[in-house]
Amino acid sequence: MEAAALRNSVPPGRATAFFGFVWAVVVLAAGLSVVPLTGLPDQIPQLPPAFWVMAALATLSDARPFTPPGRRQSSAVFPSICFTFAILLGWGLGPAIAVQAVAVLVSGFRMRHAAWRTVFNIAQYACALSAAHLVARLGAEAAFGARPHPTWLDVAMVAGAAAAWFAVKYGSVTLAVRLRFASPWWPAFQHGLGFELLSTGSLLLLSPVVVAAARVSPALIPLVLVPLYAVYRMARLSTEQEQLARLDPLTGLANRKALLAEVADQIAIHAEHAAKGAHGRHLALLLLDLDRFKNVNDALGHAVGDRLLVRVGERLTGTVRPGDLVARLGGDEFAVLATGLRDADEGRTLAERVVNTLAEPVVLDGLPLDVSGSIGVALHPDHGVDFATLMRHAEVAMYDAKHRGDTVALYAPESDHNSPERLNLLADLRRVLDRGTAGAEVGEITMYYQPQIAIATGEVVGVEALLRWRHPKRGMVDPEELIRVAEQSAVMRLLTRRVIDDVVEQLAKWSAAGIGLRAAVNVSVRDLHTGEIADQIADRLSRYGVPPSWIQLEITEGALMADPHRVLATIARLDKLGVAIALDDFGTGYSSMQHLRRLPLAEVKVDRSFVLGMATDADDAAIVRSVIDLSGALGLRVVAEGVEDERTWRLLHAAGCDVAQGWFYARPMPAEELNTWLARYRPLVPGPVQDNSGRHRSRASIVVEGGPTDPATAAVDPEPSTTPGPYAVAPYEDDGSFLPEPPSVEPSMITPPAETPAAGGVVAREVDAGGVGDAASPADK
């Protein structure tokens, strides 16, 4: 019942229990065999020629037992069973145990079994024969050994003896496998039971016929080799059928069932090597998914697609190392099982070699077809200790590679959106979005808002709505992880609904307080795939009486590429409502120029990865200036996110950027804090760009809507207006403390004079939205 490959060693930690059972069986067999074997010397002279013919055939037939290829938990077929059981019926227990022991020694030598394993096998046979002898003594043994005419009762006793033999032998081996590999008892018992019953049962029930033939003439005994050969062929045909069931009918490669069995075998072999102290060897499962295969089927037909799969299988087989297994799992998905790897780099190297092999076009009927794919790699034991876990993790890595536009990815827990931790987080998120159940156990979802400032005037022209979740156990949940978890499930729809509801309601509250702001909300791919978000926004705007121009949706280029037709249809509906659309993270996606030309955009956001480096990196500065020039030529407003220092602020002003947001102005804050911040905020106007140590600030005053329009007049009269609403801010000298000195102060949080008007007097001329602010992450919602 054990694999030929799992021969002679025991996994670590299993030796005590396993060998305890082995030696218990050996002691029991010795006790059962001592009396029959003691009388064997006196019995040998009386044994007839038929006995010796059977003994010789038993020994010779076990010299080449039939081991089913690919069968991992079923034992080989040993023809000696037929002859030793016949000897038990004809001449008793002692001769049967002796002949069986000799046959086991021969087969053990041929199969290179360890000494303990050979002894254990002899002991199992001795116990099985003793159990059969106990049943046969009720009448069958005497009938087939002496009486010329066995009765139906005798035949029933033989069947009972055969059943006792099988129960003891199969049960002891099953228990040994259970103790040796810590496998569950019932699956170990069930696996291979049908094959064993058919093959071993046939040999046992053939024994009475052999005894009956021997009583007529020993010359008839060799004729039993014909039915024995039939049993042998039956076993081989059964195995061949099983092998066919493990092959992919199209490519001839292994299928998922064969891959599962091979992975189980190789894991056990690796455990055996580890038991011998051979650590540091890895098993790698590579999962390959072809790109654009559906296009081939749609354009050229399934027949061509099938031929392409066959050619891909041939290339994979020719690329992998000898001993590695290539399998087709279905459709355009293939797997490679690589063994004996030194480390993860070797697994990645093999995957890259496979990718390079597929890079060469496949020519079918004179038409070159490009074949490419993404491969995920999972290692045993680092990424899993069973087939299901390795397969799932390889699939996670494969989709991670596709998402990143890469060809090869090694499994990383942070990419696994279905890990237990993330599933728990998703469950908590679903609960917190249910307003009736949110509370101390799962925390609360809140919206933070980060101001956007018109660089030229210092005006607050908008805010971006950012999602925050403080979990009672996890603390503040990273917004990127929060969105990654939600985007993989239907919870994303609930999350978007919650954000839209909260933001529109907050805009209405600000409007009632005399603050007119336009807020931006990031939306995901899932949100844009249906028109539901357009219906929801229209309903909420109508319910709260908020103008459509006060809300803006930010989309990424990746969302546009996911399903352009449905996404563009949703964007068209939103534009018809009057909701502005901003293109977020510009320059980090695909086909950016085409999007600028085709989409009804109002704004382009320069990704913070470029803005952060523009003060020190000439390339980043050049990219930012180019985006600003291009957007300006197309009539689009430009927002720079991630503005964190004065020099970047001045450089953006010099480049003609319209709006900036970042910690240089203010960090994201709850709505209540934003009201206070607006009351304290004093607009800043950038002057000429200085060197890195410069601390110059322009002395020009800032005129807020409705205030003095002549800077000179404002400079003469620095007092703020006493009328509600419009006011002017007087200039002041920079004493060198303007540059931010984190983390103590923000330049925008300068305390105003006591007579500064309240926040309700601020009338924003135009309010924009967008950006990620301090996190500057596209995952912020």
Side-chain angles (χ1 to χ4, degrees):
M1 292 173 57
E2 297 170 280
L6 311 177
R7 296 189 184 281
N8 302 316
S9 57
V10 180
R14 309 302 306 171
T16 301
F18 175 73
F19 282 112
F21 172 74
V22 167
W23 298 121
V25 172
V26 171
V27 170
L28 176 62
L32 294 172
S33 305
V34 62
V35 173
L37 292 178
T38 301
L40 185 60
D42 297 333
Q43 191 178 1
I44 287 178
Q46 304 173 11
L47 294 174
F51 165 82
W52 297 105
V53 173
M54 290 186 192
L57 290 176
T59 303
L60 292 175
S61 61
D62 273 12
R64 294 194 63 181
F66 170 56
T67 303
R71 187 174 296 276
R72 302 302 178 183
Q73 293 188 1
S74 294
S75 62
V77 178
F78 294 97
S80 63
I81 293 171
C82 175
F83 298 108
T84 56
F85 194 70
I87 291 173
L88 172 70
L89 296 176
W91 297 283
L93 181 59
I97 292 177
V99 173
Q100 189 68 74
V102 173
V104 170
L105 287 172
V106 172
S107 63
F109 175 79
R110 291 297 303 270
M111 300 177 72
R112 299 181 180 178
H113 287 167
W116 66 263
R117 181 165 181 168
T118 299
V119 172
F120 180 50
N121 288 340
I122 293 174
Q124 291 178 81
Y125 280 116
C127 292
L129 288 169
S130 297
H133 173 68
L134 183 63
V135 176
R137 285 181 60 185
L138 299 177
E141 187 174 354
F144 285 92
R147 291 204 302 265
H149 301 293
T151 64
W152 286 105
L153 180 61
D154 296 328
V155 174
M157 290 297 101
V158 168
W165 187 101
F166 183 84
V168 172
K169 182 65 170 63
Y170 192 80
S172 63
V173 175
T174 300
L175 184 55
V177 172
R178 168 74 177 85
L179 294 173
R180 187 177 179 187
F181 299 112
S183 57
W185 179 85
W186 176 246
F189 179 84
Q190 190 180 32
H191 186 85
L193 179 61
F195 178 84
E196 294 284 351
L197 280 173
L198 192 60
S199 59
T200 304
S202 300
L203 294 173
L204 291 172
L205 296 180
L206 187 60
S207 299
V209 178
V210 175
V211 176
R215 193 164 52 234
V216 176
S217 171
L220 296 176
I221 296 176
L223 297 180
V224 80
L225 294 176
V226 176
L228 283 180
Y229 179 74
V231 173
Y232 175 88
R233 288 298 303 167
M234 174 206 67
R236 179 170 291 279
L237 288 174
S238 174
T239 301
E240 289 174 354
Q241 289 179 351
E242 184 175 345
Q243 284 183 309
L244 289 175
R246 296 187 176 196
L247 292 179
D248 174 53
L250 175 63
T251 62
L253 300 174
N255 60 12
R256 181 181 292 269
K257 182 178 180 181
L259 180 65
L260 188 155
E262 187 67 22
V263 168
D265 289 343
Q266 293 299 333
I267 287 175
I269 292 173
H270 275 64
E272 182 178 352
H273 290 162
K276 296 178 180 179
H279 298 284
R281 311 301 288 181
H282 294 272
L283 174 73
L285 182 61
L286 283 62
L287 190 63
L288 166 67
D289 184 77
L290 299 181
D291 297 331
R292 301 177 300 278
F293 177 74
K294 183 177 182 296
N295 297 342
V296 176
N297 276 339
D298 293 343
L300 303 177
H302 289 275
V304 175
D306 289 347
R307 291 168 58 196
L308 179 61
L309 292 175
V310 172
R311 295 287 294 275
V312 169
E314 293 172 352
R315 286 195 180 185
L316 292 177
T317 304
T319 302
V320 301
R321 307 166 308 167
D324 292 345
L325 178 70
V326 178
R328 179 182 174 231
L329 305 181
D332 59 348
E333 202 170 55
F334 294 82
V336 176
L337 181 64
T339 61
L341 301 178
R342 291 188 298 272
D343 50 34
D345 289 339
E346 194 171 356
R348 177 181 286 276
T349 300
L350 176 60
E352 290 173 348
R353 189 162 68 244
V354 170
V355 169
N356 293 334
T357 300
L358 295 177
E360 185 70 23
V362 176
V363 180
L364 295 177
D365 299 330
L367 179 65
L369 301 176
D370 288 326
V371 180
S372 61
S374 299
I375 296 181
V377 182
L379 296 179
H380 172 277
D382 300 349
H383 303 147
V385 294
D386 55 51
F387 173 79
T389 304
L390 287 173
M391 177 62 73
R392 187 173 69 84
H393 288 172
E395 188 173 24
V396 168
M398 184 264 290
Y399 282 114
D400 186 34
K402 284 184 176 292
H403 178 73
R404 293 189 288 106
D406 204 351
T407 54
V408 177
L410 189 68
Y411 172 75
E414 57 268 22
S415 300
D416 191 350
H417 303 294
N418 296 315
S419 64
E421 294 79 8
R422 290 194 173 180
L423 290 177
N424 290 333
L425 185 65
L426 184 63
D428 287 347
L429 178 59
R430 184 183 291 274
R431 292 171 61 193
V432 79
L433 291 175
D434 183 351
R435 296 180 185 271
T437 60
E441 294 184 2
V442 292
E444 290 287 348
I445 289 285
T446 57
M447 299 305 301
Y448 277 47
Y449 299 90
Q450 185 171 35
Q452 287 186 315
I453 313 297
I455 298 177
T457 65
E459 230 181 317
V460 179
V461 293
V463 293
E464 180 180 10
L466 303 171
L467 188 66
R468 296 293 183 265
W469 178 20
R470 185 176 295 279
H471 194 280
K473 297 180 180 178
R474 302 170 183 264
M476 190 66 77
V477 179
D478 178 38
E480 282 195 32
E481 181 179 10
L482 174 60
I483 298 303
R484 275 201 304 267
V485 169
E487 276 187 325
Q488 308 300 317
S489 70
V491 175
M492 191 69 221
R493 173 175 167 271
L494 302 177
L495 187 60
T496 299
R497 279 182 164 273
R498 175 68 173 273
V499 170
I500 296 295
D501 287 350
D502 288 357
V503 171
V504 175
E505 182 180 1
Q506 185 58 52
L507 288 175
K509 291 179 180 178
W510 279 330
S511 177
I515 304 174
L517 293 176
R518 182 166 67 189
V521 177
N522 290 271
V523 291
S524 73
V525 178
R526 280 178 173 265
D527 299 326
L528 298 173
H529 276 182
T530 67
E532 182 179 349
I533 188 172
D535 297 333
Q536 181 193 359
I537 290 176
D539 176 73
R540 299 307 185 272
L541 292 176
S542 174
R543 177 187 303 179
Y544 289 102
V546 174
S549 59
W550 283 17
I551 191 166
Q552 176 170 286
L553 298 186
E554 294 185 356
I555 61 176
T556 63
E557 294 174 273
L560 295 174
M561 296 300 294
D563 192 337
H565 295 294
R566 287 199 290 177
V567 170
L568 289 174
T570 301
I571 291 176
R573 290 189 59 192
L574 291 167
D575 181 62
K576 189 175 181 180
L577 286 175
V579 175
I581 305 296
L583 187 58
D584 197 8
D585 301 333
F586 184 78
T588 62
Y590 313 93
S591 306
S592 302
M593 306 306 159
Q594 182 179 359
H595 295 156
L596 292 180
R597 181 173 57 87
R598 293 175 56 194
L599 297 177
L601 298 176
E603 177 180 288
V604 170
K605 298 194 70 174
V606 184
D607 188 71
R608 80 188 310 261
S609 62
F610 302 122
V611 176
L612 285 174
M614 67 178 298
T616 56
D617 189 297
D619 293 337
D620 285 345
I623 291 173
V624 173
R625 287 194 299 269
S626 299
V627 172
I628 293 172
D629 292 341
L630 175 62
S631 301
L634 294 173
L636 302 177
R637 186 172 52 250
V638 182
V639 177
E641 55 183 359
V643 181
E644 297 186 359
D645 58 74
E646 179 189 9
R647 181 164 179 77
T648 302
W649 175 57
R650 295 184 185 279
L651 287 171
L652 288 169
H653 175 260
C657 184
D658 300 304
V659 180
Q661 75 178 82
W663 280 30
F664 175 74
Y665 290 107
R667 65 193 65 198
M669 63 193 83
E672 297 77 10
E673 293 184 19
L674 181 65
N675 294 338
T676 303
W677 182 90
L678 288 171
R680 299 172 57 189
Y681 173 68
R682 284 294 162 270
L684 305 175
V685 176
V689 180
Q690 304 296 314
D691 59 20
N692 289 336
S693 61
R695 298 177 180 272
H696 174 77
R697 170 174 291 175
S698 172
R699 290 180 52 84
S701 65
I702 307 305
V703 181
V704 179
E705 184 173 315
T709 58
D710 184 1
T713 305
V716 173
D717 182 11
E719 295 298 322
S721 172
T722 58
T723 59
Y727 65 91
V729 180
Y732 60 94
E733 295 291 343
D734 182 12
D735 60 0
S737 62
F738 173 71
L739 289 178
E741 297 184 20
S744 58
V745 298
E746 300 173 26
S748 58
M749 301 299 287
I750 302 171
T751 304
E755 63 270 29
T756 301
V762 178
V763 180
R765 183 180 297 109
E766 180 184 16
V767 183
D768 298 337
V772 187
D774 59 324
S777 163
D780 269 327
K781 185 80 178 162

